[in-house]
């Protein structure tokens, strides 16, 4: 484990809280906190782009702050720093992440959202630091 990774207990707390949260709040350096839907795997994955949620500055950010709210009170359960990286539409993790994002979309209007997201959207991986 490097000095930049959370210890196992903290990582477990981040994973459990974030996995259960319906949304997270992302703060890009110099920006305001923005709510964002996500899926959790080994990190939080966020979809942005036309017709999707907007998180200004996320594309250029190397790291962001993530706050995970309580479903009961709305207060912050845990806050963590994340390294931001873009998921390549042709990369090995793309199919699994897109599948998870699609599973959360009960009323997806487009006939081929995965192709639309690959062409016009971005998926970002927020890895706990």
């Amino acid at each position: 484990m490097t000095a930049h990774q959370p210890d196992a207990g903290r990582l477990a707390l981040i994973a459990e809280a974030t996995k259960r949260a319906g949304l997270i709040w992302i703060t890009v350096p110099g920006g305001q906190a923005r709510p964002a839907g996500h899926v959790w795997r080994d990190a939080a994955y966020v979809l942005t782009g036309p017709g999707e949620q907007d998180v200004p500055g996320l594309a250029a950010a190397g790291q962001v702050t993530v706050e995970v709210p309580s479903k009961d009170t709305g207060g912050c359960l845990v806050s963590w720093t994340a390294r931001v990286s873009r998921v390549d539409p042709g990369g090995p993790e793309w199919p699994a992440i897109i599948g998870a994002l699609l599973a959360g979309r009960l009323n997806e209007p487009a006939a081929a959202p995965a192709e639309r997201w690959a062409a016009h959207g971005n998926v970002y991986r927020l890895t706990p630091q």
Side-chain angles (χ1 to χ4, degrees), residues 6 11 14-21 24 26 37-46 66 68 80-87 93 96-97 100-101 123-129:
L11 186 56
I14 290 168
E16 187 66 23
T18 308
K19 191 183 310 182
R20 293 176 181 262
I24 55 178
I26 300 172
H38 71 287
V39 295
W40 177 269
R41 293 295 175 259
D42 56 339
Y45 291 85
V46 177
V66 177
V68 181
W80 47 280
T81 301
R83 184 180 73 241
V84 179
S85 59
R86 184 175 174 270
V87 177
E93 68 183 333
I97 297 308
L101 287 165
V123 175
Y124 293 99
R125 183 179 205 265
L126 307 181
T127 306
Q129 293 296 285

Side-chain angles (χ1 to χ4, degrees), residues 59-76:
Q63 96 180 11
V64 296
T65 300
V66 177
E67 292 184 358
V68 181
S70 165
K71 287 186 175 186
D72 295 331
T73 66
C76 182

